[in-house]
C-alpha cells in the first residue's frame, strides 16, 4: 500500500522471488501474494498478475491456489500490457481449469487489433493451446485470432499466425504436441543471472552456452587437448576404395551438375528424400494423411479460416495447391531432371525482365517455387527451380533461361514432371506462367 508505485511493484517482485526460491515451503508467501489482488489498486493488481505467471512456471505445486484465486475473473480490467500478457498466458496454459477462460479470451480478441504486439502474440499462442484442451468452445476464438493475426502489419504477429495455421493444416497430431503440451517447469529466469554471465551468454547465443547457462570455455576443450584418431575424409576414401570405388552421393554431383554448383549433402539425406519421393509418386498415402483421416475429432474441420495470399502470387488464381516448404537436394534434382518424361514449355516477354532479375528467386519462393541453383551473367541467366504438390504426390522441376537483350527481355521456361502427372504438370505450368507474368509486367 506504499504511495510510491515503484516501491510497491518492487515489493511484490521481492515476495514472488522469495516464494520461488523457497519452493514447496512457500505456501504462506503465495497466499500473501494472492491477497494483493483484493487491494483494488491498478499497479498492485498488474504486478501481482506478472509475478503470478512467473510463479506458476516455477512452482507447479502452487498452480491450484493461483487458479482458485482467478476463478471469479470474468473480464481483464488491467491496462498494463505486460500484465495483460501474463493473464493471457495463464488462461492459455491453465484454461482447462478455469471455466471462463475461453470467453475471457474471446472478449479480448474482439479488440485484438488494439492490443500491444506482445499481447497479440500471447493471444495467438493461448488460443492455439486452449483449442486442444477445449475444442468446441475455442474453435471460433482460434479462427478469429488467426484471421486477425494474418492481416496484421506487424511481421512477428503475421508470421506466427501463418505458422500456426500451416502447422494445424499439415499435421494435427504434431500441432497437438507442439501447441497443446503442458508448459515446462522453469528453474531460473534470465533476470537472475549476473550481468557479466548474461552478456557472455548473449554473445554465444548460437551455441550450447544458453542451454548450460555457462560460457563455452567451461565445457569446450582447447585445441591442444583434443586427440584426432582418424581423418574423416581420408577414412571415407579408404572405405570407398575398399567397396569397389562406388560413391553414389558424389557421382550425382560430379557427372550431371547442371550449373557446376555443389552442396555438401549427406548420403543419408539423399536416401531419405529419394524414399519419400518414390512413395509419393506411387500413390501411397503419407503417414500425415493417414493420421488426419483417422482423427476422430476432425479438429481442422472447425477451422474455416483461409490462408492469406502473399508475395508474387497475391493476385494470381492458383489452380493447384503447392507445398509452401518443399525440400529437394541437388543430387536428387539432377537425377530427376534426366529421367522425367512429361514436359511443358512456354515463354514470357517483358521490357522489365532485366530489372526484375535480382528478386526473381525470392518472388517465386513466395508462391511455393524454390530455386535449387542459378547463375550466368548479362545478358543470359539460368535458374533451376522445383516445387511439390501439397500432398507431395508429384514434383515439378523448372529450367528458366532469361535473355535480357531480346525486345527488352525474354524468359524461356521448361517444366518437367513424371508422365502419370501430365495433367497436374499442365496446371503447374499455367500457374507458373501466370505468376511469372504478374511479377515481370
Amino acid at each position: 500500500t506504499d504511495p510510491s508505485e515503484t516501491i510497491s511493484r518492487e515489493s511484490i517482485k521481492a515476495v514472488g522471488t522469495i516464494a520461488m526460491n523457497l519452493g514447496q515451503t512457500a505456501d504462506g508467501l503465495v497466499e500473501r501474494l494472492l491477497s494483493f489482488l483484493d487491494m483494488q489498486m491498478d499497479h498492485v493488481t498488474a504486478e501481482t498478475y506478472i509475478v503470478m505467471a512467473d510463479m506458476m512456471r516455477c512452482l507447479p505445486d502452487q498452480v491450484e491456489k493461483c487458479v482458485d484465486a482467478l476463478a471469479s475473473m470474468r473480464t481483464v480490467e488491467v491496462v498494463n500490457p505486460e500484465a495483460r500478457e501474463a493473464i493471457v498466458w495463464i488462461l492459455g496454459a491453465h484454461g482447462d481449469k478455469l471455466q471462463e477462460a475461453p470467453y475471457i479470451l474471446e472478449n479480448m480478441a474482439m479488440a485484438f487489433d488494439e492490443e500491444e504486439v506482445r499481447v497479440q502474440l500471447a493471444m495467438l499462442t493461448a488460443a492455439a493451446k486452449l483449442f486442444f484442451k477445449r475444442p468446441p468452445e475455442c474453435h471460433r476464438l482460434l479462427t478469429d485470432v488467426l484471421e486477425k493475426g494474418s492481416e496484421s502489419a506487424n511481421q512477428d504477429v503475421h508470421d506466427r499466425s501463418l505458422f500456426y495455421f500451416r502447422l494445424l493444416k499439415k499435421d494435427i497430431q504434431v500441432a497437438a504436441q507442439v501447441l497443446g503440451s503442458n508448459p515446462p517447469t522453469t528453474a531460473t529466469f534470465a533476470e537472475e543471472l549476473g550481468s557479466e554471465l548474461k552478456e557472455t551468454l548473449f554473445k554465444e547465443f548460437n551455441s550450447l552456452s544458453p542451454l548450460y547457462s555457462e560460457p563455452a570455455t567451461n565445457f569446450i576443450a582447447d585445441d591442444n587437448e583434443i586427440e584426432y584418431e582418424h581423418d574423416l575424409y581420408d577414412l571415407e576414401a579408404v572405405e570407398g576404395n575398399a567397396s569397389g570405388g562406388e560413391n553414389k552421393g558424389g557421382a550425382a554431383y560430379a557427372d550431371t551438375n547442371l550449373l557446376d554448383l555443389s552442396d555438401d549433402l549427406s548420403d543419408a539425406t539423399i536416401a531419405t528424400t529419394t524414399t519419400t519421393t518414390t512413395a509419393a509418386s506411387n500413390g501411397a498415402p503419407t503417414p500425415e494423411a493417414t493420421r488426419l483421416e483417422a482423427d476422430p475429432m476432425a479438429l481442422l474441420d472447425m477451422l474455416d479460416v483461409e490462408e492469406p495470399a502473399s508475395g508474387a502470387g497475391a493476385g494470381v488464381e492458383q489452380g493447384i495447391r503447392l507445398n509452401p516448404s518443399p525440400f529437394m537436394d541437388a543430387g536428387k534434382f539432377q537425377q530427376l531432371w534426366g529421367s522425367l518424361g512429361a514436359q511443358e514449355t512456354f515463354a514470357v516477354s517483358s521490357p522489365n525482365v532485366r530489372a526484375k532479375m535480382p528478386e526473381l528467386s525470392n518472388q517465386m519462393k513466395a508462391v511455393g517455387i524454390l530455386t535449387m541453383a542459378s547463375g550466368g551473367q548479362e545478358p543470359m541467366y539460368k535458374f533451376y527451380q522445383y516445387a511439390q504438390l501439397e500432398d507431395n504426390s508429384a514434383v515439378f522441376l523448372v529450367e528458366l533461361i532469361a535473355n535480357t537483350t531480346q525486345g527488352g527481355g525474354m524468359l524461356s521456361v521448361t517444366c518437367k514432371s513424371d508422365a502419370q502427372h501430365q495433367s497436374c504438370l499442365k496446371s503447374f505450368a499455367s500457374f507458373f506462367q501466370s505468376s511469372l507474368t504478374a511479377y515481370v509486367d
Side-chain angles (χ1 to χ4, degrees):
T1 60
D2 192 285
S4 170
E5 289 191 14
T6 302
I7 295 178
S8 297
R9 289 179 179 275
E10 293 300 323
S11 300
I12 296 171
K13 288 181 181 178
V15 172
T17 301
I18 295 172
M20 285 183 276
N21 288 333
L22 289 177
Q24 297 180 351
T25 61
D27 292 351
L29 282 173
V30 172
E31 293 174 1
R32 174 62 62 87
L33 178 70
L34 298 177
S35 68
F36 295 157
L37 295 175
D38 300 328
M39 291 187 176
Q40 304 299 319
M41 300 174 67
D42 291 342
H43 65 280
V44 172
T45 304
E47 194 63 39
T48 302
Y49 283 131
I50 295 171
V51 175
M52 276 180 61
D54 290 341
M55 192 167 60
M56 293 171 79
R57 290 184 176 101
C58 286
L59 305 176
D61 294 339
Q62 303 295 338
V63 167
E64 208 66 41
K65 290 183 180 179
C66 295
V67 168
D68 290 343
L70 300 176
S72 60
M73 177 185 286
R74 296 294 181 271
T75 59
V76 179
E77 298 177 352
V78 294
V79 296
N80 181 291
E82 189 177 358
R84 293 176 71 84
E85 178 190 16
I87 294 173
V88 170
W89 179 87
I90 294 173
L91 295 175
H94 304 285
D96 53 327
K97 307 180 186 73
L98 290 165
Q99 183 176 355
E100 297 297 321
Y103 313 109
I104 297 173
L105 289 174
E106 275 188 1
N107 289 334
M108 296 184 69
M110 294 175 65
F112 183 89
D113 297 332
E114 301 173 11
E115 297 283 0
E116 295 283 340
V117 170
R118 64 191 304 165
V119 181
Q120 292 178 345
L121 292 172
M123 288 180 65
L124 286 168
T125 302
K129 186 178 289 290
L130 199 54
F131 176 68
F132 289 98
K133 298 177 180 179
R134 300 168 67 171
E137 300 166 277
C138 296
H139 73 271
R140 188 175 70 177
L141 166 66
L142 181 57
T143 299
D144 192 18
V145 296
L146 285 178
E147 285 181 336
K148 292 179 177 178
S150 65
E151 298 169 357
S152 173
N154 182 274
Q155 194 65 46
D156 291 336
V157 176
H158 176 266
D159 289 352
R160 184 172 296 190
S161 301
L162 289 186
F163 170 71
Y164 286 168
F165 176 88
R166 290 166 178 165
L167 181 61
L168 287 161
K169 185 177 180 181
K170 180 68 175 178
D171 194 321
I172 196 67
Q173 302 296 338
V174 173
Q177 294 176 6
V178 174
L179 303 174
S181 59
N182 293 324
T185 301
T186 303
T188 58
F189 294 96
E191 292 79 3
E192 299 176 14
L193 301 175
S195 58
E196 183 177 348
L197 175 58
K198 190 188 305 183
E199 184 177 350
T200 301
L201 295 183
F202 273 108
K203 288 181 179 179
E204 302 174 357
F205 195 77
N206 291 332
S207 69
L208 294 175
S209 297
L211 297 178
Y212 292 140
S213 295
E214 294 182 7
T217 54
N218 287 8
F219 56 85
I220 294 182
D222 294 333
D223 288 341
N224 56 7
E225 298 176 349
I226 302 176
E227 296 182 4
Y228 298 95
E229 296 183 1
H230 301 283
D231 185 277
L232 177 62
Y233 296 100
D234 289 344
L235 183 61
E236 290 179 346
V238 172
E239 292 177 350
N241 293 333
S243 60
E246 183 179 6
N247 190 340
K248 295 181 181 180
Y253 299 95
D255 297 338
T256 60
N257 204 342
L258 299 173
L259 285 176
D260 195 25
L261 302 175
S262 61
D263 294 316
D264 292 329
L265 298 173
S266 67
D267 291 341
T269 304
I270 296 172
T272 302
T273 308
T274 304
T275 302
T276 304
T277 306
T278 303
S281 62
N282 290 336
T286 62
E288 290 79 6
T290 303
R291 287 196 294 269
L292 286 174
E293 292 174 0
D295 180 20
M297 298 182 66
L299 292 178
L300 288 182
D301 291 342
M302 299 179 179
L303 297 178
D304 54 0
V305 60
E306 293 294 333
E307 181 174 9
S310 60
V316 180
E317 181 178 354
Q318 184 170 349
I320 59 174
R321 299 185 67 86
L322 298 178
N323 185 340
S325 301
F327 174 78
M328 181 177 295
D329 61 69
K332 186 63 179 178
F333 184 98
Q334 292 169 87
Q335 174 190 342
L336 290 175
W337 184 260
S339 62
L340 294 178
Q343 179 174 305
E344 294 286 330
T345 61
F346 63 86
V348 174
S349 59
S350 170
N352 301 321
V353 168
R354 181 176 182 180
K356 296 288 188 176
M357 279 297 97
E359 289 297 318
L360 176 63
S361 294
N362 289 335
Q363 292 298 322
M364 300 312 293
K365 181 180 179 180
V367 296
I369 302 170
L370 274 61
T371 300
M372 174 62 67
S374 61
Q377 57 186 359
E378 188 73 29
M380 299 292 292
Y381 298 93
K382 185 178 288 188
F383 296 81
Y384 285 96
Q385 300 173 315
Y386 64 98
Q388 292 175 325
L389 286 181
E390 189 176 54
D391 60 1
N392 296 327
S393 61
V395 62
F396 307 104
L397 306 186
V398 177
E399 180 187 62
L400 186 154
I401 300 175
N403 186 337
T404 59
T405 61
Q406 298 180 1
M410 174 75 71
L411 301 174
S412 302
V413 181
T414 301
C415 303
K416 288 188 173 185
S417 188
D418 55 277
Q420 66 182 6
H421 290 100
Q422 180 71 53
S423 60
C424 291
L425 178 62
K426 291 181 180 294
S427 298
F428 172 77
S430 176
F431 169 65
F432 192 101
Q433 184 174 8
S434 300
S435 301
L436 200 57
T437 303
Y439 173 58
V440 299
D441 282 350

